[in-house]
Amino acid sequence: GAVVSQHPSWVICKSGTSVKIECRSLDFQATTMFWYRQFPKQSLMLMATSNEGSKATYEQGVEKDKFLINHASLTLSTLTVTSAHPEDSSFYICSARDNRKASYEQYFGPGTRLTVT
Amino acid sequence: AQSVTQLDSQVPVFEEAPVELRCNYSSSVSVYLFWYVQYPNQGLQLLLKYLSGSTLVESINGFEAEFNKSQTSFHLRKPSVHISDTAEYFCAVSGNTGGFKTIFGAGTRLFVKA
């Protein structure tokens, strides 16, 4: 089946620093990748949608200068949280889809837990 | 715009009892519907999906969901639950708008008691 990995699985960083999270599709080409964040005991909130080779489309209320998304290849997307603050602590989940397939199904990564101290 | 409403935030149930997790959606276009399960500190796993065809879809571990277009619902059911079914369940909708992005419901915490 389609597998999506994320790295790191958890990260602790100090306030003011930046942290990069990688999302990889291991056995398929991800024409579109999505980034979500999930607060404890809450649902997933879509942050942005990125298509390979294009700029990401951010959801309303998401700061694009703070959450930098790069989707440079069909198997890799990165989310960089710049100048992180404690309120950025969350569970970040990516998903990937091959738009050329008719199922329109997204495959989710295992998530990255970010803690900003 | 699309939206998903999960009517119950928590559902406690005894082991071997039946359960129904309710999901209603709204959309102006044709939809694809999904149920995902999330175990503590883990990512999402697809439980089942409706894309087209038969309105009743089943998972390999005994869950089923029925797409009801007139009631705009996609309720999840299992005739007999196990302790291991304790998890968070998310209903989601995707459609031919906004690049097929998926919108999630708030989630339902299924707690199976012995």
Side-chain angles (χ1 to χ4, degrees), chain A residues 32 34 36 38 41-44 46 49 59 91 93 97 99 102-111 113, chain B residues 6 32 34 36 38 41-46 49 51 88 90 94 98-107:
Chain A
T32 301
F34 304 87
Y36 297 84
Q38 183 182 31
K41 300 186 186 302
Q42 294 189 29
S43 187
L44 279 72
L46 180 64
T49 303
E59 295 298 303
F91 195 49
I93 302 174
R97 187 180 70 217
N99 293 341
S103 71
Y104 305 115
E105 182 177 337
Q106 294 181 51
Y107 301 96
F108 286 83
R113 185 162 302 283
Chain B
Q6 291 184 244
Y32 305 106
F34 307 86
Y36 290 90
Q38 184 180 34
N41 297 311
Q42 294 186 29
L44 273 70
Q45 300 175 34
L46 179 66
K49 62 187 176 186
L51 303 178
E88 191 83 21
F90 293 98
S94 178
F100 284 98
K101 61 185 180 184
T102 300
I103 305 300
F104 286 83

Side-chain angles (χ1 to χ4, degrees), chain A residues 1 6 8-9 15 23 27 42-43 64 81 97 108 117:
Chain A
Q6 279 185 244
S9 56
S15 187
C23 176
D27 51 1
Q42 294 189 29
S43 187
K64 60 182 179 181
V81 183
R97 187 180 70 217
F108 286 83
T117 60

